[in-house]
């Protein structure tokens, strides 16, 4: 603790340019302030203050030392505010965005539970599959799925998802099941918003361009088409888990399944994350599937 002794007293004197005023602000005696500053100078082996009967001013060493001490004390103040803010009850407006289906099925039920727990919170949520700009749109939080592009945004992993390649037993009985990635070119592939699927082959990630009669940005539509035996789809587990469990869909090409992807909470790069956003992400990280 000796390294901290005299720091607050020195900064107070430097800002007040008076031992008496500094002592008053710190609610201690002038003699104590003078002693602490003198002992600080002795430890540093440097004179920090010019003292006259009328004025106290900083030496060149004192000016340098003051700038660094001010930054340290400011950092401590901010650390205390950050900790104390965790105890504050979330309140105010949260503007957020999330993908449509994932948002409807998983994010918003948790958000509603959060709003019931903290009645002073308001939420405006834009469910869209577009990658909206957080800053231009004035959003506090965005839920994003999969690989994140390089960005100045801060990101927290909330959960993970698995992409499955699936088809109905009826489709497999009519067309057979592919046993290699190259065989997919002979099958009807049900495409999402991207013209390729992602796999892992010999330890390396691979994007494979596929084609088919149906292309749709709706995961539910692709699920319905796969269940109807119209082709093979690559969909996240939250679309197909139930159908896989009850045998309505079969998982194909398991050895080539790509690693788990992240489900992320994105927010602007602020000095301090507000309690309302931090608490909401904590709840999402506890309750989302794959958390």
């Amino acid at each position: 603790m000796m390294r901290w002794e005299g720091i607050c007293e020195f900064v107070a004197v430097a800002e007040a340019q008076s031992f008496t005023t500094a002592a008053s602000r710190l609610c201690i005696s002038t003699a104590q302030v003078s002693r602490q500053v003198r002992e600080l100078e002795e430890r540093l082996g440097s004179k920090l203050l010019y003292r006259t009967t009328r004025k106290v001013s900083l030496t060149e060493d004192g000016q340098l030392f003051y700038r660094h001490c001010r930054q340290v004390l400011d950092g401590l103040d901010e650390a205390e505010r950050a900790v104390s803010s965790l105890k504050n009850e979330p309140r105010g407006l949260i503007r957020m965005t999330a993908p449509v289906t994932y948002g409807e099925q998983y994010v918003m039920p948790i958000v509603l539970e959060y709003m019931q727990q903290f009645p002073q919170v308001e939420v405006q949520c834009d469910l869209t599959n577009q990658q909206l700009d957080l800053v231009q749109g004035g959003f506090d939080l965005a839920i994003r799925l999969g690989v994140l592009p390089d960005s100045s945004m801060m990101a927290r992993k909330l959960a993970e998802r698995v992409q499955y390649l699936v088809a109905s037993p009826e489709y497999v009985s009519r067309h057979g099941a592919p046993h290699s990635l190259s065989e997919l070119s002979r099958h009807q592939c049900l495409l999402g918003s991207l013209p390729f699927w992602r796999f892992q082959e010999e330890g390396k990630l691979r994007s494979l361009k596929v084609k088919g009669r149906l292309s749709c940005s709706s995961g539910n539509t692709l699920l319905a088409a796969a269940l109807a035996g119209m082709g093979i789809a690559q969909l996240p587990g939250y679309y197909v888990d139930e159908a896989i469990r009850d045998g309505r869909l079969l998982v194909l090409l398991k050895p080539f399944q790509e690693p788990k992807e992240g489900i992320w909470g994105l927010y602007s790069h602020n000095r301090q994350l507000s309690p309302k956003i931090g608490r909401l992400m904590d709840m999402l990280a506890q309750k989302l599937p794959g958390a």
Side-chain angles (χ1 to χ4, degrees):
M1 292 301 294
M2 182 177 292
R3 296 183 65 187
W4 286 101
E5 290 180 359
I7 297 294
C8 292
E9 291 84 354
F10 163 70
V11 169
V13 172
E15 293 176 346
Q17 296 185 345
S18 165
F19 280 86
T20 303
T21 305
S24 177
R25 291 177 180 177
L26 295 173
C27 298
I28 58 178
S29 69
T30 303
Q32 184 176 348
V33 172
S34 180
R35 187 182 70 254
Q36 291 282 12
V37 172
R38 184 176 64 254
E39 291 176 356
L40 175 63
E41 289 178 316
E42 291 174 358
R43 291 203 311 274
L44 294 173
S46 180
K47 189 176 182 63
L48 301 176
L49 297 167
Y50 292 120
R51 301 164 176 85
T52 69
T53 55
R54 293 184 178 182
K55 186 180 180 182
V56 176
S57 60
L58 290 168
T59 65
E60 185 176 350
D61 288 349
Q63 291 174 2
L64 176 63
F65 192 62
Y66 167 75
R67 289 196 296 269
H68 285 282
C69 288
R70 185 69 268 173
Q71 290 177 358
V72 171
L73 293 178
D74 288 343
L76 285 173
D77 288 341
E78 185 173 339
E80 289 181 2
R81 287 194 299 270
V83 172
S84 63
S85 69
L86 296 176
K87 301 177 183 178
N88 296 336
E89 181 171 306
R91 65 184 65 229
L93 175 64
I94 297 176
R95 298 195 70 244
M96 61 181 295
T97 179
V100 177
T101 302
Y102 189 79
E104 289 177 342
Q105 293 186 3
Y106 300 104
V107 175
M108 290 312 297
I110 298 172
V111 171
L112 296 181
E113 180 181 347
Y114 178 80
M115 293 178 70
Q116 289 179 315
Q117 183 174 340
F118 300 108
Q120 297 188 69
V121 168
E122 302 175 41
V123 174
Q124 293 178 1
C125 186
D126 189 343
L127 294 181
T128 175
N129 292 330
Q130 297 180 4
Q131 299 280 308
L132 299 179
D133 187 286
L134 270 70
V135 176
Q136 291 185 358
F139 292 102
D140 301 298
L141 176 65
I143 306 301
R144 297 279 166 84
L145 312 178
V147 180
L148 293 177
D150 291 336
S151 168
S152 61
M153 296 292 106
M154 301 294 289
R156 175 180 172 183
K157 182 183 281 190
L158 304 175
E160 293 179 324
R161 69 173 185 176
V162 178
Q163 294 272 16
Y164 291 100
L165 198 70
V166 295
S168 69
E170 292 76 17
Y171 178 88
V172 172
S173 67
R174 292 198 312 269
H175 304 282
H179 296 92
S180 66
L181 297 184
S182 61
E183 292 180 31
L184 285 174
S185 61
R186 301 198 293 268
H187 286 268
Q188 282 294 325
C189 297
L190 306 169
L191 305 179
S193 56
L194 299 175
F196 59 85
W197 287 342
R198 293 189 299 270
F199 299 95
Q200 182 172 248
E201 187 175 25
E202 297 180 352
K204 296 181 180 180
L205 294 177
R206 179 181 175 186
S207 295
L208 181 68
K209 192 168 184 178
V210 293
K211 58 183 180 179
R213 293 170 54 210
L214 175 64
S215 176
C216 183
S217 61
S218 166
N220 282 325
T221 298
L222 298 179
L223 172 62
L227 289 170
M230 295 179 62
I232 299 173
Q234 188 178 60
L235 288 166
Y238 49 82
Y239 282 104
V240 299
D241 282 339
E242 184 178 343
I244 291 172
R245 283 195 298 269
D246 61 25
R248 289 179 295 149
L249 288 176
L250 304 176
V251 179
L252 309 176
L253 295 177
K254 287 184 181 180
F256 300 95
Q257 187 171 290
E258 69 170 337
K260 293 180 179 179
E261 296 180 320
I263 297 171
W264 307 89
L266 248 62
Y267 57 96
S268 298
H269 185 199
N270 296 325
R271 291 180 65 187
Q272 183 179 330
L273 188 63
S274 66
K276 63 184 179 182
I277 305 300
R279 293 280 191 91
L280 176 56
M281 286 203 291
D282 287 344
M283 184 175 285
L284 290 168
Q286 293 171 1
K287 295 180 176 291
L288 283 174

